Amino acid sequence: MQTVTTLAELRAARSRLPGPIGFVPTMGFLHAGHISLAQRAHTECERVVASIFVNPTQFGPNEDLASYPRDLPRDLALLEAAGVKLVWTPTPEEMYQPGFQTWVSVEALTRRLEGEARPTHFKGVTTIVAKLFNAVAPD
């Protein structure tokens, strides 16, 4: 299993993987649900790519990003055991370059439920998911 950090490394590694490619985006601290997604992706795709990125833009000002659980060595071991071929672990600086100002916002849907209490949460989620999928380009 290969692990990469930068977008350039991801693109180079991704170009060498025969397809079709499945993708499992995560924030790490993996559990059985994440592993089941990787296993399911294997039933439909030749290779599976995963990402581990704790997205700061989905945390509000009174939410503690620093306390989000992280265990990268454990996560990598679980993904390797699940047959994942490539893991992308970008940094916040890699995902949100200086001057970043483009957001994906789903207005009406995100006002309900958790969106009422965490008004910026879904803007961060929808933006990062779009960025991750565009970068990995899964099938």
Side-chain angles (χ1 to χ4, degrees):
M1 182 178 77
Q2 183 178 3
T3 303
V4 297
T5 302
T6 69
L7 183 57
E9 292 170 329
L10 171 68
R11 287 182 175 151
R14 169 67 174 89
S15 72
R16 292 188 299 270
L17 289 178
I21 301 293
F23 178 48
V24 180
T26 81
M27 287 193 9
F29 211 69
L30 303 181
H31 52 70
H34 295 106
I35 302 309
S36 72
L37 291 172
Q39 292 167 339
R40 172 63 190 267
H42 275 295
T43 69
E44 299 179 21
C45 300
E46 190 171 339
R47 303 281 187 268
V48 177
V49 175
S51 64
I52 299 173
F53 179 65
V54 180
N55 180 28
T57 67
Q58 68 191 66
F59 289 82
N62 298 323
E63 298 167 348
D64 196 359
L65 170 65
S67 70
Y68 187 86
R70 295 165 174 86
D71 190 342
L72 186 59
R74 176 187 161 276
D75 291 343
L76 293 174
L78 288 170
L79 291 170
E80 186 169 29
V84 171
K85 295 299 179 197
L86 176 62
V87 180
W88 184 29
T89 61
T91 63
E93 296 77 19
E94 184 75 17
M95 296 309 297
Y96 298 102
Q97 299 280 322
F100 175 81
Q101 56 184 315
T102 303
W103 298 94
V104 175
S105 182
V106 182
E107 296 292 327
L109 182 63
T110 59
R111 285 189 202 121
R112 296 179 284 148
L113 305 172
E114 194 167 358
E116 289 181 20
R118 301 172 73 195
T120 62
H121 173 73
F122 286 113
K123 181 173 87 170
V125 172
T126 53
T127 299
I128 198 60
V129 168
K131 290 172 75 66
L132 292 169
F133 270 80
N134 283 330
V136 172
D139 297 296

